[in-house]
Amino acid sequence: MQINRVGVIGGGQLAWMMAGAAKTLAITLAVQTPNNTDPATSLASETILASITDAEATARLASRCDAITFENEFIDIEALSALADRGVQFVPSLSVLEPLLDKYHQRCYLRDLGIPVPEFVALEDLGENLRAKIENPNFSMKWPLVMKARRHGYDGRGTTIVKDLSELEATWEKWGRDPVLLEEFVPFERELAAIAARDRSGEIAIYPIVETQQEDQVCRRVIVPAALEPGAIAECEEIARTILNSLQAVGVFGIELFLTPDAKILVNEIAPRTHNSGHFSLDASETSQFEQLLRAVCDRPLGSTALRSAGAVMVNLLGTERSLLDYGAKREELAGFPGARVHWYGKTESRPGRKLGHVTVLLDKSELPIAHEIAAILESIWYSTRV
Ligand code: ADP
C-alpha cells in the first residue's frame, strides 16, 4: 500500500518541522494535539484537537491517514494496542516502543543487549526498603546519584541529582512516591548523540555524531560534528546499529550518549523519534531528520545523511520569562549572523526553559575550531537583557 497520508500523535515543534518535510515529499500530515495554538496546527493539513492519550481521537486520526507516527513518547500504549489490532499502522510499531517508554525497562533492554549503560536500579517503595537497598554492601553506586521518573520526563523534568539519602527521600516524597530509576552519576567528559534511521528493508542511515551540551539537564547547544577519534565515531555508530537492528525498528531514533574521561561510551537514553540533537539536519544535511522519518514511515528510500557544510552549530532559544512577546528584534539580530538560519516555533507564550525556537549556523572548515565561540555569541544575543 502506498503511504501518502501520515498522522502524528503530538503537535509541537517536532511535528511542525515534520510538516515542512511533508510538503517537500508531497505527503499530507495531520496531527492530534490538545491546543489549537500548538505549533504544528498552523501547517498540518488537519488537526484533531484532543489529548495525545485519547485513543478515540487517534482512531479518528487513523481513519484519515495511512500510517501514524509520534513526536513524543507520552502515549498510552495499551489503548493504542487495540487500534493496532484493528489494523492501524504505527511507525515505529508499538512493539518497538514497548521496551523504551519506561526508563527502567529501557535500561534493562540495553543492558541485556550488552550495550554499556550507567549502573542502575529500580526503586519501588520508600522507607526501610530504600535504606536497605542503598546501604546494602552490594550496591556499588556512590553519591551523588541521579534519580529519574520512569515515565513522562523531558528536558530534565523528572531528572534530578541527589547528594545523599535524605535528599533522595525528600525528592521522592515530593514526586509522590512513584517508582523511580536510580543510577550512578556519570562524570562525563562530553555528551554525544547519534541520530539514526532504519527503514523497513533494514537499511540504516546514521547522521554525523554530534556533541550536545546540557545545562540544568536541558539541551542548550549542539556541535556538528563532534570532534572525535575515528574509533569513537565507529563505536557510537555500532551502538546505534545494534540497538536499531535488535529492535527491528523503523523510524528515526535519537540516542543520547556519555563519553567518559577514560574514553568509554555509555548510552544514556534512546528517544524513539526525531530529536533536538538532530535539528541541525534541517539546514546542514542533505536530508533532514524530519524528512528521513517520513521517508521511513512512507516506505521510501532513506535519504543521504551527509552534511552540506563542513559543520554546524545549533543553539536552542529557550524562554527566560513568562511573556507573550515574540522577540522579533532578537530573532532578526540572530538571523543577521553570517550563515545563521532561525527556526521560530510560533508558540504563543514564553515560559522559563520552554523551547521557543532554535538557530543553526553552518560552518566552513576554518570555523570548526571556533564552533563553541560561535555558540557563545548566539547565546549572548538571545539571552541579552535588551528587548
Ligand atoms: P530527559 O529525558 O529529561 O532528557 P535525561 O535522562 O536525558 O532526561 O537527562 C537529561 C540530562 O541530565 C542529560 O543530558 C545529562 O546532562 C544529565 N544526566 C542524566 N543522567 C545522568 C547521569 N547518570 N550522570 C550524569 N548526568 C546525567
Side-chain angles (χ1 to χ4, degrees), residues 75-315:
I75 51 169
D76 180 347
I77 201 158
E78 275 176 32
L80 296 185
S81 299
L83 299 182
D85 292 343
R86 298 204 318 250
V88 174
Q89 202 181 141
F90 293 101
V91 186
S93 68
L94 302 184
S95 61
V96 169
L97 299 180
E98 228 253 337
L100 303 181
L101 296 186
D102 175 311
K103 287 191 185 201
Y104 175 67
H105 293 157
Q106 186 183 112
R107 273 290 155 77
C108 293
Y109 183 87
L110 293 171
R111 179 200 53 201
D112 295 348
L113 197 58
I115 301 280
V117 291
E119 212 176 313
F120 67 99
V121 289
L123 281 179
E124 274 156 23
D125 51 53
L126 268 172
E128 288 313 305
N129 173 287
L130 169 59
R131 279 184 186 274
K133 215 161 195 174
I134 304 272
E135 286 163 7
N136 183 326
N138 296 328
F139 183 86
S140 59
M141 297 193 277
K142 303 270 177 292
W143 302 102
L145 296 175
V146 182
M147 186 171 133
K148 296 182 176 180
R150 287 174 54 166
R151 283 212 62 190
H152 300 119
Y154 72 103
D155 287 352
R157 292 181 184 87
T159 291
T160 192
I161 298 166
V162 286
K163 65 174 190 310
D164 55 27
L165 189 52
S166 69
E167 198 171 277
L168 191 158
E169 283 176 327
T171 311
W172 202 3
E173 198 68 44
K174 211 166 76 192
W175 285 10
R177 302 171 170 228
D178 285 338
V180 294
L181 168 67
L182 196 61
E183 63 186 36
E184 66 171 314
F185 176 86
V186 179
F188 51 78
E189 191 232 284
R190 269 180 289 166
E191 288 189 83
L192 308 172
I195 302 292
R198 187 172 179 279
D199 70 12
R200 283 176 172 74
S201 71
E203 195 194 321
I204 289 180
I206 305 176
Y207 287 84
I209 307 302
V210 299
E211 175 183 348
T212 69
Q213 297 179 351
Q214 277 59 233
E215 280 176 26
D216 297 327
Q217 283 101 40
V218 183
C219 176
R220 291 287 292 260
R221 51 198 96 80
V222 173
I223 310 291
V224 188
L228 290 171
E229 297 294 324
I233 296 173
E235 205 176 323
C236 296
E237 291 178 346
E238 192 48 36
I239 286 173
R241 260 191 221 101
T242 305
I243 295 171
L244 266 56
N245 281 332
S246 152
L247 286 164
Q248 293 284 296
V250 177
V252 167
F253 295 77
I255 304 172
E256 301 171 15
L257 305 153
F258 294 134
L259 175 65
T260 69
D262 55 351
K264 288 205 182 72
I265 291 167
L266 309 178
V267 172
N268 173 33
E269 186 169 43
I270 309 165
R273 53 166 168 78
T274 55
H275 194 259
N276 196 170
S277 55
H279 287 1
F280 71 88
S281 63
L282 271 177
D283 301 302
S285 306
E286 304 245 342
T287 313
S288 79
Q289 62 167 347
F290 305 99
E291 178 175 335
Q292 198 75 303
L293 172 61
L294 290 175
R295 285 179 167 276
V297 170
C298 298
D299 207 11
R300 302 192 189 177
L302 296 180
S304 160
T305 55
L307 289 173
R308 288 178 167 151
S309 54
V313 42
M314 192 277 330
V315 168

